C-alpha cells in the first residue's frame, strides 16, 4: 500500500463528489403537454407528454416526534401523490441540465491537476518543491471556502439564475489566467479564482434543483449533477493523457475549462428561476408561470399557498444570526456534522492512495487507475438513482457508512494480517473499490441532497453556505495532515480510524437525520418549525 519512498509526494486534496440522486415511483404515463417558457422553448413540442397519476387521499401533516423516548430520532412519513396531471421530469430537465454544467466544471477541475502538475512545476520553476506543488492544488480549496461562505447572501439577493451567471466570471477568468500563467503567482491566482467559483456552485446547484424539481422527481433530477461530475472527471483524465508526452499540454486543458463557463452563462439566460425565490421577491405572476410550465397547471394554487405559508414579507434577505435560532440551528448543526463526518471518514485519503493500491497489482498507469475509480463511482451513482426514493435518505446514508467501515477494516486486515502478498493486494483492491462504491451510493449523494431539503426557505442559502464551508475546511485538513499521519503511524491505524469515523457517522445518521423522501420542501419546513401558522393545517 505505501512505502516511505512515496511519502514525499504532495497530497492532492480531492473535493468529495457532492451528488444528489433518487428514483421516481411513477409507473403510468401517456403523452400530452409540451414544455414551454415565456422567454425560450427547449424544443420539446414533439415529445408532448401527459402523466396519469392515481389520486391519493390527502393526509394530515404529522408532527415530528421521536421514534423512541429520549433518543432524539425523528422521521417524516411518506405522503401519497396529489390529484391532477403530472407533467413528469421532462419539463424541468433542461433547466437542471444547464445548472449541472457547474458540476461538470467541478469534476473537471478535480482531475485537471492530477497529471499535469509535474509539467506545470517544471515549466514554472518549482519542480521538486512538494510544498509549492501541494499549494497550487490546495489553494483551490481556499477559494472554494470563501465562495461557499459568500454564496448564501448572493442567492438571497439575486436568486439562483443570476447568481449562476455572476459566478461564471471567476470560473472563466480563473481558467484563462491559469492557462496562460508564466509564474507561480499567476497559476495560484488562477486556481484561487476557479475555487471561488466552484465554492459558490457547490452550494447553488443543490438549492436550485431542490427548488425547481417537482417533489417526486427531486432526487431523480439531482442525478444529472452526479453524472455531470463523473463526466467532468473522466473528461479531464482523458484530456490529460497527451500531457505525458507534451509538457505544454496542460495549457490546452486549462483553456478548455473556460468553455463550459461560457455555456453556463448563456444557458442560464433561458432557464427559469426558482419559483420559491420568485415568491419571496414578490414576483407571484412569474412564479405561477414557472410552476405551470414545470409542474403542471393543477399544482399552481397548491404550490403558491404552500410557499406563502412558510415565507414572510422580509424573507428575501436572511441574517447569519438566524442560524443560532431554532429550528435553523438544528439543521445547520446536522449539515455541518454530516460534512465533518463525511470528510474524516477518509474519502480524500482513500482516493489519493487508490492509485498506489492499483500499482501494487500491476496497474502502473495512474490515469487508468483513476479511470477504474471513476467507473466505480459511476456504478454507485446508478445504484443510488434506483435506491434513493425506494429506501429513503436515512437508510441509504446508514448503509453507506456501514459499507465504508467494512471496507476500511478489510484493507486494515489485508495490511496487518500475516497473509501472502497476492491475497493482501487482492483484499486491498476489493476494499478500495467497495469503499468508493459505498461512498457513491450514500455518503456523497445524501449529504448534498438532505441539507437543502431540511433547510427553511428563508435560510436555505446560508445553511448550505455554512455546511459547505465546513466541508472545505475539513477537506483541507485531511489533505494537509493525511500523509504525515500515514508516515508516523502507518496505513493500518489511519485506515482503522477512518472505519471508526464511518461507524460514528452511521450512528449519527440513525439518531439525528430526518427522512424527507416524498415530501415537498414546505411540508418538511412546516413539520420542523412549530411557529409556522400552516403547520397544523
Amino acid at each position: 500500500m505505501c512505502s516511505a519512498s512515496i511519502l514525499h509526494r504532495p497530497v492532492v486534496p480531492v473535493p468529495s463528489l457532492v451528488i444528489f440522486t433518487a428514483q421516481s415511483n411513477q409507473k403510468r404515463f401517456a403523452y400530452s403537454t409540451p414544455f414551454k417558457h415565456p422567454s425560450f422553448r427547449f424544443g420539446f413540442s414533439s415529445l408532448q407528454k401527459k402523466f396519469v397519476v392515481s389520486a391519493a387521499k390527502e393526509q394530515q401533516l404529522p408532527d415530528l416526534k421521536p421514534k423512541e423516548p429520549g433518543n432524539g430520532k425523528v422521521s417524516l412519513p411518506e405522503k401519497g401523490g396529489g390529484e391532477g396531471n403530472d407533467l413528469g421530469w421532462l419539463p424541468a430537465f433542461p433547466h437542471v441540465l444547464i445548472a449541472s454544467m457547474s458540476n461538470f466544471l467541478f469534476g473537471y477541475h478535480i482531475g485537471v491537476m492530477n497529471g499535469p502538475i509535474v509539467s506545470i512545476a517544471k515549466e514554472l520553476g518549482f519542480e521538486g518543491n512538494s510544498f509549492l506543488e501541494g499549494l497550487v492544488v490546495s489553494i483551490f480549496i481556499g477559494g472554494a471556502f470563501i465562495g461557499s461562505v459568500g454564496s448564501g447572501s448572493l442567492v438571497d439577493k439575486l436568486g439562483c439564475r443570476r447568481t449562476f451567471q455572476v459566478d461564471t466570471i471567476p470560473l472563466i477568468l480563473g481558467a484563462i489566467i491559469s492557462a496562460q500563467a508564466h509564474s507561480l503567482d499567476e497559476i495560484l491566482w488562477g486556481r484561487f479564482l476557479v475555487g471561488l467559483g466552484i465554492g459558490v456552485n457547490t452550494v447553488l446547484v443543490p438549492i436550485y434543483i431542490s427548488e425547481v424539481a417537482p417533489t417526486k422527481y427531486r432526487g431523480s433530477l439531482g442525478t444529472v449533477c452526479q453524472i455531470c461530475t463523473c463526466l467532468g472527471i473522466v473528461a479531464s483524465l482523458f484530456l490529460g493523457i497527451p500531457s505525458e508526452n507534451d509538457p505544454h499540454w496542460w495549457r490546452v486543458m486549462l483553456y478548455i475549462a473556460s468553455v463550459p463557463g461560457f455555456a453556463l452563462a448563456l444557458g442560464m439566460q433561458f432557464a427559469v428561476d426558482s419559483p420559491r425565490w420568485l415568491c419571496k421577491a414578490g414576483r407571484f405572476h412569474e412564479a405561477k408561470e414557472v410552476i405551470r410550465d414545470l409542474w403542471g397547471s393543477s399544482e399552481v394554487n397548491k404550490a403558491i399557498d404552500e410557499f406563502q405559508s412558510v415565507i414572510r414579507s422580509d424573507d428575501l434577505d436572511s441574517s447569519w444570526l438566524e442560524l443560532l435560532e431554532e429550528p435553523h440551528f438544528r439543521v445547520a448543526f446536522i449539515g455541518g456534522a454530516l460534512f465533518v463526518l463525511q470528510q474524516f471518514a477518509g474519502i480524500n485519503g482513500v482516493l489519493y492512495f487508490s492509485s498506489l493500491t492499483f500499482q501494487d497489482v500491476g496497474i502502473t498507469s495512474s490515469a487508468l487507475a483513476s479511470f477504474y475509480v471513476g467507473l466505480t463511482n459511476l456504478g454507485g451513482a446508478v445504484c443510488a438513482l434506483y435506491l434513493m426514493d425506494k429506501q429513503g435518505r436515512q437508510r441509504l446514508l446508514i448503509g453507506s457508512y456501514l459499507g465504508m467501515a467494512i471496507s476500511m477494516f478489510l484493507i486494515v486486515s489485508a495490511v496487518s494480517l500475516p497473509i501472502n502478498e497476492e491475497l493482501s493486494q487482492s483484499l486491498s483492491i476489493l476494499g478500495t473499490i467497495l469503499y468508493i462504491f459505498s461512498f457513491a451510493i450514500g455518503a456523497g449523494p445524501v449529504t448534498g441532497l438532505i441539507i437543502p431539503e431540511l433547510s427553511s426557505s428563508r435560510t436555505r442559502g446560508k445553511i448550505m453556505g455554512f455546511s459547505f464551508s465546513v466541508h472545505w475546511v475539513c477537506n483541507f485538513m485531511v489533505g494537509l495532515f493525511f500523509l504525515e499521519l500515514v508516515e508516523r503511524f502507518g496505513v493500518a491505524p489511519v485506515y482503522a480510524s477512518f472505519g471508526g469515523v464511518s461507524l460514528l457517522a452511521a450512528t449519527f445518521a440513525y439518531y439525528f437525520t430526518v427522512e424527507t423522501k416524498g415530501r415537498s420542501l414546505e411540508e418538511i419546513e412546516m413539520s420542523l418549525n412549530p411557529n409556522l401558522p400552516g403547520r397544523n393545517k
Side-chain angles (χ1 to χ4, degrees):
M1 283 289 297
C2 171
S3 64
S5 62
I6 56 90
L7 291 178
H8 70 280
R9 296 172 55 185
V11 177
V12 180
V14 182
S16 64
L17 305 184
V18 183
I19 36 188
F20 327 94
T21 54
Q23 175 77 19
S24 168
N25 296 335
Q26 198 59 35
K27 295 182 179 179
R28 300 180 55 200
F29 61 92
Y31 291 93
S32 146
T33 308
F35 171 81
K36 60 184 176 64
H37 180 261
S39 61
F40 187 72
R41 293 176 183 268
F42 281 94
F44 286 105
S45 58
S46 62
L47 298 176
Q48 297 180 336
K49 296 192 174 183
K50 176 182 179 183
F51 286 75
V52 181
V53 184
S54 59
K57 185 175 181 180
E58 192 73 18
Q59 299 176 357
Q60 182 179 2
L61 185 65
D63 294 340
L64 286 173
K65 294 182 179 179
K67 286 186 176 179
E68 298 177 11
N71 66 4
K73 182 178 173 65
V74 292
S75 65
L76 286 168
E78 285 190 71
K79 182 178 179 179
E83 297 181 358
N85 292 333
D86 176 13
L87 298 183
W89 56 268
L90 188 61
F93 176 75
H95 308 281
V96 172
L97 183 62
I98 290 173
S100 295
M101 290 182 189
S102 300
N103 284 73
F104 181 88
L105 274 170
F106 180 35
Y108 190 88
H109 283 291
I110 286 175
V112 74
M113 284 292 173
N114 281 356
I117 184 63
V118 176
S119 299
I120 294 172
K122 185 175 182 180
E123 185 171 344
L124 300 186
F126 55 93
E127 183 182 15
N129 190 325
S130 60
F131 173 78
L132 292 180
E133 289 179 7
L135 182 62
V136 169
V137 176
S138 301
I139 198 169
F140 173 95
I141 297 177
F145 170 79
I146 296 174
S148 295
V149 172
S151 60
S153 298
L154 283 175
V155 173
D156 286 343
K157 293 180 181 297
L158 304 178
C160 290
R161 191 164 70 96
R162 292 305 180 200
T163 305
F164 269 118
Q165 292 180 311
V166 171
D167 190 49
T168 60
I169 296 174
L171 289 171
I172 294 170
L173 286 179
I176 294 175
I177 291 173
S178 300
Q180 60 83 50
H182 293 284
S183 69
L184 176 63
D185 290 342
E186 289 179 338
I187 193 72
L188 288 175
W189 271 113
R191 290 289 292 170
F192 176 81
L193 286 174
V194 166
L196 190 68
I198 293 298
V200 173
N201 277 344
T202 52
V203 172
L204 196 56
V205 174
I207 292 177
Y208 182 77
I209 292 178
S210 68
E211 296 195 351
V212 167
T215 297
K216 65 182 66 175
Y217 304 105
R218 193 164 57 223
S220 297
L221 288 172
T223 309
V224 180
C225 298
Q226 180 175 3
I227 294 173
C228 286
T229 301
C230 293
L231 290 176
I233 295 173
V234 171
S236 65
L237 294 174
F238 177 77
L239 290 173
I241 293 175
S243 66
E244 297 179 1
N245 300 316
D246 184 353
H248 305 294
W249 181 254
W250 61 273
R251 296 186 183 275
V252 176
M253 295 179 64
L254 292 173
Y255 275 124
I256 291 174
S258 66
V259 176
F262 287 109
L264 178 63
L266 178 62
M268 271 295 156
Q269 188 63 32
F270 305 110
V272 299
D273 218 325
S274 161
R276 292 172 171 90
W277 182 83
L278 290 172
C279 279
K280 288 195 293 183
R283 296 156 61 178
F284 292 98
H285 177 72
E286 294 176 58
K288 291 179 180 179
E289 286 292 320
V290 172
I291 296 168
R292 184 178 297 111
D293 292 339
L294 268 58
W295 303 353
S297 57
S298 63
E299 296 291 321
V300 174
N301 292 332
K302 175 187 173 184
I304 293 296
D305 288 343
E306 287 187 343
F307 296 169
Q308 290 180 318
S309 70
V310 299
I311 64 175
R312 301 200 303 265
S313 59
D314 61 342
D315 231 9
L316 195 58
D317 191 12
S318 59
S319 167
W320 281 100
L321 292 178
E322 291 182 46
L323 299 192
L324 300 177
E325 303 171 0
E326 288 293 351
H328 313 307
F329 177 80
R330 181 178 12 160
V331 178
F333 167 74
I334 292 173
L338 284 176
F339 272 124
V340 169
L341 293 168
Q342 182 201 67
Q343 289 300 298
F344 284 99
I347 182 62
N348 285 316
V350 175
L351 287 176
Y352 174 71
F353 266 100
S354 63
S355 60
L356 302 178
T357 304
F358 283 114
Q359 286 178 18
D360 288 339
V361 294
I363 302 175
T364 57
S365 171
S366 59
L368 185 59
S370 299
F371 179 72
Y372 286 140
V373 170
L375 285 181
T376 303
N377 186 62
L378 185 59
V382 173
C383 289
L385 167 67
Y386 178 76
L387 295 172
M388 189 74 75
D389 275 347
K390 290 184 177 296
Q391 299 298 322
R393 281 55 153 163
Q394 186 184 52
R395 184 176 297 181
L396 205 56
L397 192 62
I398 294 171
S400 172
Y401 277 117
L402 290 177
M404 292 164 64
I406 293 171
S407 305
M408 287 292 93
F409 295 139
L410 182 62
I411 296 176
V412 170
S413 299
V415 173
S416 304
L417 296 179
I419 55 179
N420 65 69
E421 183 177 358
E422 183 177 352
L423 179 58
S424 175
Q425 291 173 353
S426 298
L427 290 176
S428 296
I429 290 288
L430 177 62
T432 299
I433 291 178
L434 180 60
Y435 177 91
I436 295 170
F437 181 85
S438 298
F439 177 87
I441 66 171
V446 174
T447 305
L449 175 63
I450 200 171
I451 300 172
E453 288 183 326
L454 293 175
S455 304
S456 70
S457 177
R458 178 174 176 78
T459 59
R460 186 167 291 127
K462 288 187 170 60
I463 288 178
M464 287 292 288
F466 166 76
S467 300
F468 272 96
S469 65
V470 172
H471 165 273
W472 293 114
V473 169
C474 295
N475 186 304
F476 180 78
M477 291 178 64
V478 171
L480 183 65
F481 294 110
F482 175 70
L483 276 187
E484 183 178 349
L485 291 173
V486 170
E487 185 176 12
R488 178 173 298 184
F489 300 106
V491 172
V494 173
Y495 273 33
S497 68
F498 290 161
V501 173
S502 297
L503 290 177
L504 179 62
T507 304
F508 180 88
Y510 180 80
Y511 284 105
F512 290 96
T513 59
V514 175
E515 186 53 68
T516 58
K517 69 169 183 173
R519 312 297 296 194
S520 74
L521 300 181
E522 287 68 38
E523 289 171 329
I524 297 169
E525 182 173 350
M526 286 188 289
S527 295
L528 290 170
N529 191 347
N531 299 319
L532 289 174
R535 184 175 189 265
N536 296 319
K537 289 182 180 180

mmCIF file with all atom_site columns, all heavy atoms in Angstrom, residues 375-390:
data_model
loop_
_atom_site.group_PDB
_atom_site.id
_atom_site.type_symbol
_atom_site.label_atom_id
_atom_site.label_alt_id
_atom_site.label_comp_id
_atom_site.label_asym_id
_atom_site.label_entity_id
_atom_site.label_seq_id
_atom_site.pdbx_PDB_ins_code
_atom_site.Cartn_x
_atom_site.Cartn_y
_atom_site.Cartn_z
_atom_site.occupancy
_atom_site.B_iso_or_equiv
_atom_site.pdbx_formal_charge
_atom_site.auth_seq_id
_atom_site.auth_comp_id
_atom_site.auth_asym_id
_atom_site.auth_atom_id
_atom_site.pdbx_PDB_model_num
ATOM 1   N N   . LEU A 1 375 ? -15.221 4.710  -12.819 1.00 0.00 ? 375 LEU A N   1
ATOM 2   C CA  . LEU A 1 375 ? -16.258 3.737  -13.155 1.00 0.00 ? 375 LEU A CA  1
ATOM 3   C C   . LEU A 1 375 ? -16.960 3.230  -11.898 1.00 0.00 ? 375 LEU A C   1
ATOM 4   O O   . LEU A 1 375 ? -18.182 3.034  -11.887 1.00 0.00 ? 375 LEU A O   1
ATOM 5   C CB  . LEU A 1 375 ? -15.644 2.564  -13.921 1.00 0.00 ? 375 LEU A CB  1
ATOM 6   C CG  . LEU A 1 375 ? -15.255 2.796  -15.380 1.00 0.00 ? 375 LEU A CG  1
ATOM 7   C CD1 . LEU A 1 375 ? -14.686 1.519  -15.982 1.00 0.00 ? 375 LEU A CD1 1
ATOM 8   C CD2 . LEU A 1 375 ? -16.458 3.268  -16.195 1.00 0.00 ? 375 LEU A CD2 1
ATOM 9   N N   . THR A 1 376 ? -16.184 3.008  -10.853 1.00 0.00 ? 376 THR A N   1
ATOM 10  C CA  . THR A 1 376 ? -16.774 2.564  -9.588  1.00 0.00 ? 376 THR A CA  1
ATOM 11  C C   . THR A 1 376 ? -17.728 3.604  -9.039  1.00 0.00 ? 376 THR A C   1
ATOM 12  O O   . THR A 1 376 ? -18.840 3.289  -8.579  1.00 0.00 ? 376 THR A O   1
ATOM 13  C CB  . THR A 1 376 ? -15.663 2.272  -8.560  1.00 0.00 ? 376 THR A CB  1
ATOM 14  O OG1 . THR A 1 376 ? -14.770 1.291  -9.081  1.00 0.00 ? 376 THR A OG1 1
ATOM 15  C CG2 . THR A 1 376 ? -16.256 1.773  -7.254  1.00 0.00 ? 376 THR A CG2 1
ATOM 16  N N   . ASN A 1 377 ? -17.311 4.859  -9.088  1.00 0.00 ? 377 ASN A N   1
ATOM 17  C CA  . ASN A 1 377 ? -18.155 5.938  -8.605  1.00 0.00 ? 377 ASN A CA  1
ATOM 18  C C   . ASN A 1 377 ? -19.432 6.056  -9.439  1.00 0.00 ? 377 ASN A C   1
ATOM 19  O O   . ASN A 1 377 ? -20.530 6.276  -8.910  1.00 0.00 ? 377 ASN A O   1
ATOM 20  C CB  . ASN A 1 377 ? -17.377 7.249  -8.646  1.00 0.00 ? 377 ASN A CB  1
ATOM 21  C CG  . ASN A 1 377 ? -18.148 8.384  -8.025  1.00 0.00 ? 377 ASN A CG  1
ATOM 22  O OD1 . ASN A 1 377 ? -18.468 8.366  -6.848  1.00 0.00 ? 377 ASN A OD1 1
ATOM 23  N ND2 . ASN A 1 377 ? -18.461 9.375  -8.828  1.00 0.00 ? 377 ASN A ND2 1
ATOM 24  N N   . LEU A 1 378 ? -19.300 5.888  -10.750 1.00 0.00 ? 378 LEU A N   1
ATOM 25  C CA  . LEU A 1 378 ? -20.468 5.951  -11.621 1.00 0.00 ? 378 LEU A CA  1
ATOM 26  C C   . LEU A 1 378 ? -21.425 4.800  -11.332 1.00 0.00 ? 378 LEU A C   1
ATOM 27  O O   . LEU A 1 378 ? -22.652 4.975  -11.331 1.00 0.00 ? 378 LEU A O   1
ATOM 28  C CB  . LEU A 1 378 ? -20.026 5.918  -13.086 1.00 0.00 ? 378 LEU A CB  1
ATOM 29  C CG  . LEU A 1 378 ? -21.124 6.094  -14.139 1.00 0.00 ? 378 LEU A CG  1
ATOM 30  C CD1 . LEU A 1 378 ? -21.844 7.414  -13.954 1.00 0.00 ? 378 LEU A CD1 1
ATOM 31  C CD2 . LEU A 1 378 ? -20.529 5.998  -15.542 1.00 0.00 ? 378 LEU A CD2 1
ATOM 32  N N   . GLY A 1 379 ? -20.874 3.612  -11.068 1.00 0.00 ? 379 GLY A N   1
ATOM 33  C CA  . GLY A 1 379 ? -21.718 2.475  -10.710 1.00 0.00 ? 379 GLY A CA  1
ATOM 34  C C   . GLY A 1 379 ? -22.492 2.730  -9.434  1.00 0.00 ? 379 GLY A C   1
ATOM 35  O O   . GLY A 1 379 ? -23.678 2.393  -9.322  1.00 0.00 ? 379 GLY A O   1
ATOM 36  N N   . GLY A 1 380 ? -21.837 3.357  -8.460  1.00 0.00 ? 380 GLY A N   1
ATOM 37  C CA  . GLY A 1 380 ? -22.534 3.715  -7.226  1.00 0.00 ? 380 GLY A CA  1
ATOM 38  C C   . GLY A 1 380 ? -23.627 4.734  -7.481  1.00 0.00 ? 380 GLY A C   1
ATOM 39  O O   . GLY A 1 380 ? -24.698 4.681  -6.864  1.00 0.00 ? 380 GLY A O   1
ATOM 40  N N   . ALA A 1 381 ? -23.388 5.658  -8.412  1.00 0.00 ? 381 ALA A N   1
ATOM 41  C CA  . ALA A 1 381 ? -24.397 6.658  -8.752  1.00 0.00 ? 381 ALA A CA  1
ATOM 42  C C   . ALA A 1 381 ? -25.644 6.008  -9.337  1.00 0.00 ? 381 ALA A C   1
ATOM 43  O O   . ALA A 1 381 ? -26.776 6.391  -9.020  1.00 0.00 ? 381 ALA A O   1
ATOM 44  C CB  . ALA A 1 381 ? -23.822 7.668  -9.739  1.00 0.00 ? 381 ALA A CB  1
ATOM 45  N N   . VAL A 1 382 ? -25.440 5.029  -10.189 1.00 0.00 ? 382 VAL A N   1
ATOM 46  C CA  . VAL A 1 382 ? -26.576 4.344  -10.798 1.00 0.00 ? 382 VAL A CA  1
ATOM 47  C C   . VAL A 1 382 ? -27.393 3.620  -9.735  1.00 0.00 ? 382 VAL A C   1
ATOM 48  O O   . VAL A 1 382 ? -28.635 3.638  -9.758  1.00 0.00 ? 382 VAL A O   1
ATOM 49  C CB  . VAL A 1 382 ? -26.092 3.350  -11.877 1.00 0.00 ? 382 VAL A CB  1
ATOM 50  C CG1 . VAL A 1 382 ? -27.247 2.503  -12.395 1.00 0.00 ? 382 VAL A CG1 1
ATOM 51  C CG2 . VAL A 1 382 ? -25.429 4.094  -13.030 1.00 0.00 ? 382 VAL A CG2 1
ATOM 52  N N   . CYS A 1 383 ? -26.720 2.994  -8.791  1.00 0.00 ? 383 CYS A N   1
ATOM 53  C CA  . CYS A 1 383 ? -27.434 2.313  -7.705  1.00 0.00 ? 383 CYS A CA  1
ATOM 54  C C   . CYS A 1 383 ? -28.186 3.316  -6.838  1.00 0.00 ? 383 CYS A C   1
ATOM 55  O O   . CYS A 1 383 ? -29.317 3.054  -6.399  1.00 0.00 ? 383 CYS A O   1
ATOM 56  C CB  . CYS A 1 383 ? -26.454 1.517  -6.854  1.00 0.00 ? 383 CYS A CB  1
ATOM 57  S SG  . CYS A 1 383 ? -25.783 0.064  -7.684  1.00 0.00 ? 383 CYS A SG  1
ATOM 58  N N   . ALA A 1 384 ? -27.559 4.468  -6.575  1.00 0.00 ? 384 ALA A N   1
ATOM 59  C CA  . ALA A 1 384 ? -28.237 5.492  -5.778  1.00 0.00 ? 384 ALA A CA  1
ATOM 60  C C   . ALA A 1 384 ? -29.477 5.997  -6.497  1.00 0.00 ? 384 ALA A C   1
ATOM 61  O O   . ALA A 1 384 ? -30.497 6.300  -5.862  1.00 0.00 ? 384 ALA A O   1
ATOM 62  C CB  . ALA A 1 384 ? -27.272 6.648  -5.497  1.00 0.00 ? 384 ALA A CB  1
ATOM 63  N N   . LEU A 1 385 ? -29.403 6.109  -7.819  1.00 0.00 ? 385 LEU A N   1
ATOM 64  C CA  . LEU A 1 385 ? -30.552 6.509  -8.619  1.00 0.00 ? 385 LEU A CA  1
ATOM 65  C C   . LEU A 1 385 ? -31.743 5.597  -8.358  1.00 0.00 ? 385 LEU A C   1
ATOM 66  O O   . LEU A 1 385 ? -32.881 6.058  -8.219  1.00 0.00 ? 385 LEU A O   1
ATOM 67  C CB  . LEU A 1 385 ? -30.172 6.458  -10.106 1.00 0.00 ? 385 LEU A CB  1
ATOM 68  C CG  . LEU A 1 385 ? -31.309 6.545  -11.130 1.00 0.00 ? 385 LEU A CG  1
ATOM 69  C CD1 . LEU A 1 385 ? -31.948 7.921  -11.088 1.00 0.00 ? 385 LEU A CD1 1
ATOM 70  C CD2 . LEU A 1 385 ? -30.802 6.229  -12.527 1.00 0.00 ? 385 LEU A CD2 1
ATOM 71  N N   . TYR A 1 386 ? -31.490 4.321  -8.250  1.00 0.00 ? 386 TYR A N   1
ATOM 72  C CA  . TYR A 1 386 ? -32.560 3.343  -8.041  1.00 0.00 ? 386 TYR A CA  1
ATOM 73  C C   . TYR A 1 386 ? -33.042 3.311  -6.589  1.00 0.00 ? 386 TYR A C   1
ATOM 74  O O   . TYR A 1 386 ? -34.227 3.131  -6.321  1.00 0.00 ? 386 TYR A O   1
ATOM 75  C CB  . TYR A 1 386 ? -32.059 1.964  -8.447  1.00 0.00 ? 386 TYR A CB  1
ATOM 76  C CG  . TYR A 1 386 ? -33.065 0.862  -8.234  1.00 0.00 ? 386 TYR A CG  1
ATOM 77  C CD1 . TYR A 1 386 ? -34.143 0.692  -9.097  1.00 0.00 ? 386 TYR A CD1 1
ATOM 78  C CD2 . TYR A 1 386 ? -32.937 -0.005 -7.159  1.00 0.00 ? 386 TYR A CD2 1
ATOM 79  C CE1 . TYR A 1 386 ? -35.073 -0.316 -8.892  1.00 0.00 ? 386 TYR A CE1 1
ATOM 80  C CE2 . TYR A 1 386 ? -33.859 -1.020 -6.942  1.00 0.00 ? 386 TYR A CE2 1
ATOM 81  C CZ  . TYR A 1 386 ? -34.925 -1.178 -7.813  1.00 0.00 ? 386 TYR A CZ  1
ATOM 82  O OH  . TYR A 1 386 ? -35.838 -2.167 -7.608  1.00 0.00 ? 386 TYR A OH  1
ATOM 83  N N   . LEU A 1 387 ? -32.118 3.518  -5.644  1.00 0.00 ? 387 LEU A N   1
ATOM 84  C CA  . LEU A 1 387 ? -32.427 3.275  -4.236  1.00 0.00 ? 387 LEU A CA  1
ATOM 85  C C   . LEU A 1 387 ? -32.916 4.485  -3.464  1.00 0.00 ? 387 LEU A C   1
ATOM 86  O O   . LEU A 1 387 ? -33.591 4.336  -2.447  1.00 0.00 ? 387 LEU A O   1
ATOM 87  C CB  . LEU A 1 387 ? -31.190 2.720  -3.525  1.00 0.00 ? 387 LEU A CB  1
ATOM 88  C CG  . LEU A 1 387 ? -30.699 1.341  -3.979  1.00 0.00 ? 387 LEU A CG  1
ATOM 89  C CD1 . LEU A 1 387 ? -29.360 1.022  -3.322  1.00 0.00 ? 387 LEU A CD1 1
ATOM 90  C CD2 . LEU A 1 387 ? -31.724 0.271  -3.640  1.00 0.00 ? 387 LEU A CD2 1
ATOM 91  N N   . MET A 1 388 ? -32.601 5.707  -3.923  1.00 0.00 ? 388 MET A N   1
ATOM 92  C CA  . MET A 1 388 ? -32.828 6.896  -3.092  1.00 0.00 ? 388 MET A CA  1
ATOM 93  C C   . MET A 1 388 ? -34.281 7.048  -2.664  1.00 0.00 ? 388 MET A C   1
ATOM 94  O O   . MET A 1 388 ? -34.576 7.289  -1.496  1.00 0.00 ? 388 MET A O   1
ATOM 95  C CB  . MET A 1 388 ? -32.363 8.144  -3.840  1.00 0.00 ? 388 MET A CB  1
ATOM 96  C CG  . MET A 1 388 ? -32.362 9.388  -2.989  1.00 0.00 ? 388 MET A CG  1
ATOM 97  S SD  . MET A 1 388 ? -31.014 9.437  -1.784  1.00 0.00 ? 388 MET A SD  1
ATOM 98  C CE  . MET A 1 388 ? -29.637 9.805  -2.841  1.00 0.00 ? 388 MET A CE  1
ATOM 99  N N   . ASP A 1 389 ? -35.209 6.936  -3.605  1.00 0.00 ? 389 ASP A N   1
ATOM 100 C CA  . ASP A 1 389 ? -36.617 7.098  -3.251  1.00 0.00 ? 389 ASP A CA  1
ATOM 101 C C   . ASP A 1 389 ? -37.266 5.804  -2.795  1.00 0.00 ? 389 ASP A C   1
ATOM 102 O O   . ASP A 1 389 ? -38.369 5.822  -2.253  1.00 0.00 ? 389 ASP A O   1
ATOM 103 C CB  . ASP A 1 389 ? -37.391 7.671  -4.439  1.00 0.00 ? 389 ASP A CB  1
ATOM 104 C CG  . ASP A 1 389 ? -37.297 9.187  -4.488  1.00 0.00 ? 389 ASP A CG  1
ATOM 105 O OD1 . ASP A 1 389 ? -36.862 9.780  -3.492  1.00 0.00 ? 389 ASP A OD1 1
ATOM 106 O OD2 . ASP A 1 389 ? -37.632 9.771  -5.535  1.00 0.00 ? 389 ASP A OD2 1
ATOM 107 N N   . LYS A 1 390 ? -36.623 4.687  -3.029  1.00 0.00 ? 390 LYS A N   1
ATOM 108 C CA  . LYS A 1 390 ? -37.166 3.414  -2.566  1.00 0.00 ? 390 LYS A CA  1
ATOM 109 C C   . LYS A 1 390 ? -36.790 3.161  -1.108  1.00 0.00 ? 390 LYS A C   1
ATOM 110 O O   . LYS A 1 390 ? -37.625 2.749  -0.295  1.00 0.00 ? 390 LYS A O   1
ATOM 111 C CB  . LYS A 1 390 ? -36.670 2.264  -3.453  1.00 0.00 ? 390 LYS A CB  1
ATOM 112 C CG  . LYS A 1 390 ? -37.260 2.276  -4.859  1.00 0.00 ? 390 LYS A CG  1
ATOM 113 C CD  . LYS A 1 390 ? -36.804 1.067  -5.632  1.00 0.00 ? 390 LYS A CD  1
ATOM 114 C CE  . LYS A 1 390 ? -37.454 1.022  -7.013  1.00 0.00 ? 390 LYS A CE  1
ATOM 115 N NZ  . LYS A 1 390 ? -38.920 0.868  -6.951  1.00 0.00 ? 390 LYS A NZ  1
#
